[in-house]
Structure formats: C-alpha cells, structure tokens
Amino acid sequence: MKTLVLVEHDNSSVKDATLSTVTAASKLGEVHLLVAGKGCAGVADAAAKIAGVGKVHLADDAAYEHQLAENLAPLIVDLMGHHDAFLAPATTTGKNVAPRVAALLDVMQVSEIIGIEGDKTFVRPIYAGNAIATVESSDPKLVITVRGTAFDKAASEGGAGTVEAVSGAGDAGLSTFQGSELAKSERPELTSAKVIVSGGRALKDSETFKELIFPLADKLNAGVGASRAAVDAGYVPNDFQVGQTGKIVAPEVYIAVGISGAIQHLAGMKDSKTIIAINKDEDAPIFQVADIGLVGDLFKIVPELTGKL
Amino acid sequence: MKILVPVKRVIDYNVKPRVKADGTGVDLANVKMSMNPFDEIAVEEALRLREKGAATEVIAVSVGPAKATETLRTALAMGADRAILVQTDDEVEPLAVAKILKAIADAEAPGLVILGKQAIDDDSNQTGQMLAALMGRPQGTFANEVTVEGDSVTVKREIDGGLETVKLSLPAIVTTDLRLNEPRYASLPNIMKAKSKPLDTKSPADYGVDTAPRLKTVKVNEPPVRQAGIKVADVDELVGKLKALGIA
C-alpha cells in the first residue's frame, strides 16, 4: 500500500506530530510525504531525512502558506490518484484538512486512530475515551488522522527520501488568511513534553496560577497544561487546555493540581504513564486514576514542593 | 440570510458511558440524552447573528431517530424558527450526514451553516468539513469568534498554537469551539411556544442519500483500567516518589 502523509511544519521545521504519523503510515506500507507551504524547500529536505520515507512531494506556492483547507484539499486529492491512504496528524491542522479530503474522495475518514490491526482495521477511542472501538473500512481509499501519543516517533535522521516538486490548482479563491496570535512559550510543547504540570479551577486566578504552577513546571522542565475550567476562567489561554476537546497528551508524568478529574479532562490525559494528583478533596475523581495522590491544600503544598525540588 | 444549524442527540455529557458486555457498542438504554454541547453553542451563535440583524431565519436540522424531535424542540425553544428532522433508526456516519445536509442546503440556500466541531459520542470531528467539501464552499472550523460583514464572514479559529483569523466568502460553513459563546437556557414560555413551531419530518431517501455505513464496527471494548494508586502523606514523600521516577 502506498501512503501519503501530510507534513505539519511551521515553514522552518517538521513538527513532532508528523513523526508519529510516519510510524503509523509505515505499518501500512510505503511512506510518501507531502510538504505544502511557501518557501518550505528546507522543510522538504529535512522531511526526506526521516527514517523510512520514500518520496517527498513538495508543493511550494503562496496559496499553501497558511495550510488553508480549501486550497490544500484539492492538491491532496490529486496526489491520492497515486496513493491508497492519506494520513494526517490529529492536530488542528490535520483535523481541518483531512475530512475535506475524505468527502472529496467520497470515503469515510477514520479519526484519531490509536492502533492498526490490519490493512483496513483500526482502533480508535470514542465517548471521550470511555470506549475503544475497532473499525474496518470498506472504502477503496483510506483517509486517517493519527493520535500522536499512540505511536512512537520515527527517527528524524537516517532516511534517504527524494524530493519531487508538485503543483496544484493553487488558490481556490474561497478563503484568505488574516493573521494569527500565537502563544509564545519557552517551555516544552504540551503534546511532546515528558512531564506536564496542569492546573485547574482551584488555582483561583491568573496570577496565582502563574505564581504556583509555572515555577513548579520550570523546576521539572515540564510543559504547562490546564483544565477547561481554568481556561474558561481566563487563568491561561485556550491552547493550554488538556481534554476531549483540547489537547490529548500522554507524558511520562502528569501532575494534576487542583483538578477534580471530569470525564472530559481525563479523556486528554489518562494515557499518561504516571499520574500524580494534588487535591484537597479526597473524593475527587482524579484520585481514581492517579498513581500517586496527595490530599491537601495546594496553596501550601505546591510552594513547598517547588522549594524542595 | 438563512442560517442552517445541524444538531445531534447524544448521551448527556455528564453520564459516564458503559460498554455493553457483548462488545457491540455503548449501552444507551435508559441513559439520559441531550443536545450535543457544541451544537448548543452553534444554535446560540445563529440566534445571536439573527439578533444582530445578520440573519433572518434560523433552521435547526437533526438526522436521527424519532426521539431527536426532543433535541429539535430544544433548539426551537432556544429561539430557532423552524426545524427539520431527517428520521432514521440507523446510525448515520458523518459522510452520509454531510450528504443529507448538502441536499437540505441546496433546497434552503442558507448563507451560513453552523455546526458543532465534534459530537461527544463518536468524537469524529468531520461533518462540517465534509459538508464544506461537498458544497464546494469555505470552512471556518473550531470558531472562537464569528463576524459577518457583507458577503463574507470572518472567523477567529482555535488552533494548537493559539488563534488564527480567516476570512471566508459566503455561503460558508462554520464549526463551533467551546469558547465561542455561552448558550442560553430556554425559558418555560419559550418551551411552550416551541411546541407550535413548524417541524418537518423527512427521511434520508427523500434526499436520495444512501446511509449504509462505510466503517464496520468490529467490536467495542472498555479502555484498559488503571491500577489503583497510592496516597502519600506529605510533600517529602512526594519528592521521594518524583526522584524515584527520575524527574526530580
């Protein structure tokens, strides 16, 4: 089977989510990549070095600069004439583009797979991860998004792919990019961090969140996450949110501070290797999934913990 | 312009789903069902656009069993003008729902279709994008802010690294993220009034759509259960555990 993987990049480097998707694709067959963007030849060269990669299709055009689905989807559909499966990371970019491709190919997408059981058989979580479904596709072509935390990352060196320029129809004339407000962070990216410290509503306000959670995260070289309640209350921006509708993470260690553990939050972190919970309510649902729990006042515990590390 | 708002009847978000012992699916018998939370946000946004004068009519649509009427009545009680139920007892996949919605959009010619970004049961996050593809129209997914101006709509989107703004020519498809708005509650008088608002019942065949599933569910399992953990007494013991894990 020939697979086509959408490379997620920021015009300078390949994002980690792509590497996990390459691993999933390699279980299905030959791996080809698509790098679409403007002035992204460097990304294509880097992508060609990913272990196990064959051809890298490079579509360099202003129309692809911001990964607009309206422009990208027809390009991918064209390439699918020579491929049997299209895989994209289950990031906001992948989730935006892949279903548009699937509908144009008249096939059902298999969303956010966590396992591959056969050429057409995939495992995916449903109901906020409270059930795991195994599904078999009957479509002639596959369109799949891949949950990054469920597959190891392919090595970013050692491959010997060849870059080949491709062109598509370009700008579909339906949408224009106006601008972005990207959060700047020195900390490890949430979805690839080894350790995550996450705060909930109990942190009281934005200042307290920053005073308590950030220093602890810095000590542990951890990414910072948050529950929906903390985001809704304005303690931190939305891209910190861990959960069914936010980011799905599976770090080595997840430290939940002042988070009760609602179903929707657990959906985003319950595959973490070790879960540590700090909460004053000993009946909080988070303790049912936590490997290590400490019951007590986080306003005392967190500064003490940070001080002793 | 008209706004079309597809809504789905799903298990209530507070209910912890239970997998059936025979592995065929999730047990929905006698479980509380509600409108998908993202769809409530979609209905709310459509109503706000109508209140601002950017829209003239809000039409709620649902594809599902007869009981989905209740979900549509909820949308009508919130303020939608009329509703269409495409009734079927089969489980309909996002691709087929998108095809039905396209047929309805062809007939109704809405300026905007506002959907939730995903349903909390199948967690697919596909229908809006698929509908946009089938209609050949632009999509503003995971909307955090929606502004209609003349013949375009500006959508601020929630993306992994922050926010992004795109401008789409109308007609367009928008899918809602959690922070787009705070949905209103239906008042008792409005719930009573909703009972007399028009609700058409159709079938997938009326739109010539084949709803046969493309994905066969082989089995549905419980997720692996985590081992029971331990409680530590104080910070010193916790620091010791962190050291043992090699992160401190």
Side-chain angles (χ1 to χ4, degrees):
Chain A
M1 194 186 293
K2 270 193 194 169
T3 69
L4 179 69
V5 172
L6 178 67
V7 173
E8 185 145 354
H9 65 91
D10 53 7
N11 272 316
S12 59
S13 60
V14 175
K15 291 198 180 170
D16 277 358
T18 309
L19 302 175
S20 313
T21 309
V22 166
T23 300
S26 64
K27 290 181 196 290
L28 293 171
E30 199 179 325
V31 182
H32 294 180
L33 304 182
L34 169 62
V35 175
K38 184 189 164 203
C40 54
V43 176
D45 291 339
K49 294 197 180 89
I50 298 172
V53 163
K55 211 176 280 176
V56 177
H57 301 281
L58 169 63
D60 203 327
D61 187 317
Y64 307 130
E65 186 176 4
H66 301 291
Q67 316 281 316
L68 294 171
E70 296 80 1
N71 300 347
L72 219 44
L75 171 71
I76 296 165
V77 169
D78 272 355
L79 290 168
M80 284 304 287
H82 318 286
H83 293 89
D84 308 298
F86 172 67
L87 290 86
T91 56
T92 48
T93 307
K95 288 174 180 178
N96 189 41
V97 176
R100 193 164 177 115
V101 171
L104 293 173
L105 293 170
D106 192 31
V107 304
M108 250 305 283
Q109 173 181 301
V110 189
S111 291
E112 219 155 333
I113 63 164
I114 57 169
I116 297 176
E117 295 212 330
D119 274 0
K120 299 228 159 192
T121 310
F122 306 95
V123 183
R124 57 177 306 262
I126 52 175
Y127 290 87
N130 284 292
I132 307 295
T134 305
V135 297
E136 189 184 339
S137 171
S138 60
D139 281 320
K141 301 228 180 217
L142 296 167
V143 174
I144 296 166
T145 60
V146 177
R147 180 173 289 189
T149 55
F151 294 89
D152 293 335
K153 294 185 190 84
S156 54
E157 294 289 336
T162 50
V163 179
E164 190 177 290
V166 292
S167 58
D171 193 345
L174 295 168
S175 55
T176 50
F177 174 84
Q178 302 281 95
S180 59
E181 301 155 42
L182 299 181
K184 286 191 187 68
S185 174
E186 307 284 299
R187 291 193 181 79
E189 200 193 337
L190 206 46
T191 48
S192 54
K194 282 206 160 51
V195 182
I196 292 174
V197 181
S198 220
R201 196 204 314 262
L203 269 306
K204 236 169 52 186
D205 54 40
S206 177
E207 287 68 38
T208 318
F209 192 102
K210 288 181 183 116
E211 273 166 33
L212 291 177
I213 300 294
F214 286 11
L216 176 58
D218 290 342
K219 276 273 171 78
L220 298 169
N221 190 28
V224 174
S227 68
R228 178 189 172 188
V231 173
D232 281 354
Y235 302 175
V236 286
N238 62 278
D239 53 296
F240 281 60
Q241 188 182 329
V242 171
Q244 183 183 19
T245 64
K247 293 196 170 86
I248 311 287
V249 299
E252 296 282 316
V253 179
Y254 187 90
I255 305 178
V257 179
I259 292 176
S260 63
I263 293 175
Q264 292 78 14
H265 185 75
L266 299 182
M269 45 64 80
K270 69 180 177 190
D271 293 326
S272 305
K273 211 157 171 204
T274 302
I275 297 172
I276 299 174
I278 300 170
N279 205 301
K280 69 171 185 224
D281 175 9
E282 63 179 315
D283 296 324
I286 191 76
F287 287 120
Q288 288 164 24
V289 300
D291 302 282
I292 302 166
L294 177 52
V295 178
D297 182 0
L298 68 91
F299 298 101
K300 286 199 191 100
I301 290 171
V302 175
E304 190 188 340
L305 177 60
T306 308
K308 284 182 175 167
L309 287 171
Chain B
M1 70 176 179
K2 291 182 194 174
I3 301 181
L4 196 64
V5 187
V7 295
K8 186 177 185 184
R9 178 177 182 265
V10 298
I11 190 167
D12 189 85
Y13 75 98
N14 278 315
V15 176
K16 186 164 164 43
R18 268 206 297 271
V19 174
K20 287 191 215 166
D22 64 359
T24 55
V26 166
D27 192 0
L28 295 177
N30 303 315
V31 169
K32 186 182 178 207
M33 304 291 277
S34 301
M35 188 190 296
N36 180 43
F38 290 99
D39 303 347
E40 290 184 353
I41 296 170
V43 173
E44 177 64 34
E45 196 63 19
L47 298 175
R48 289 186 189 190
L49 288 169
R50 192 188 60 193
E51 283 154 10
K52 279 183 207 153
T56 49
E57 192 183 25
V58 175
I59 309 160
V61 186
S62 193
V63 179
K67 280 195 168 165
T69 309
E70 292 163 18
T71 312
L72 288 170
R73 291 286 173 208
T74 304
L76 292 170
M78 286 173 74
D81 297 289
R82 61 189 170 90
I84 303 169
L85 171 65
V86 182
Q87 195 178 325
T88 169
D89 286 325
D90 300 332
E91 261 190 51
V92 187
E93 292 173 342
L95 181 63
V97 172
K99 287 177 180 177
I100 292 169
L101 294 175
K102 172 173 190 294
I104 295 175
D106 285 346
E108 299 281 354
L112 267 180
V113 184
I114 309 182
L115 307 87
K117 81 164 176 182
Q118 77 192 60
I120 60 162
D121 52 2
D122 63 16
D123 283 332
S124 289
N125 196 330
Q126 301 177 12
T127 309
Q129 296 88 316
M130 288 182 154
L131 174 62
L134 297 176
M135 289 174 67
R137 299 307 309 166
Q139 64 191 50
T141 50
F142 326 143
N144 174 284
E145 200 179 296
V146 176
T147 317
V148 177
E149 277 168 314
D151 57 1
S152 69
V153 58
T154 302
V155 180
K156 193 178 270 191
R157 307 178 52 230
E158 297 201 5
I159 57 169
D160 285 333
L163 294 163
E164 169 186 288
T165 307
V166 291
K167 192 171 180 183
L168 316 172
S169 62
L170 294 174
I173 288 77
V174 168
T175 75
T176 64
D177 216 316
L178 280 174
R179 276 162 287 274
L180 178 57
N181 61 47
E182 187 91 30
R184 70 193 65 186
Y185 289 102
S187 65
L188 188 58
N190 285 342
I191 292 170
M192 299 309 289
K193 233 190 283 173
K195 291 185 177 169
S196 55
K197 286 186 179 176
L199 193 156
D200 279 346
T201 302
K202 302 273 191 186
S203 76
D206 292 337
Y207 299 105
V209 175
D210 173 11
T211 59
R214 305 289 188 85
L215 301 180
K216 187 177 115 193
T217 300
V218 182
K219 60 180 181 216
V220 176
N221 292 338
E222 294 265 7
V225 181
R226 290 190 74 97
Q227 294 293 323
I230 52 147
K231 290 235 169 84
V232 293
D234 53 32
V235 170
D236 290 323
E237 206 182 325
L238 181 56
V239 172
K241 292 284 178 196
L242 290 173
K243 286 195 172 136
L245 287 166
I247 64 158

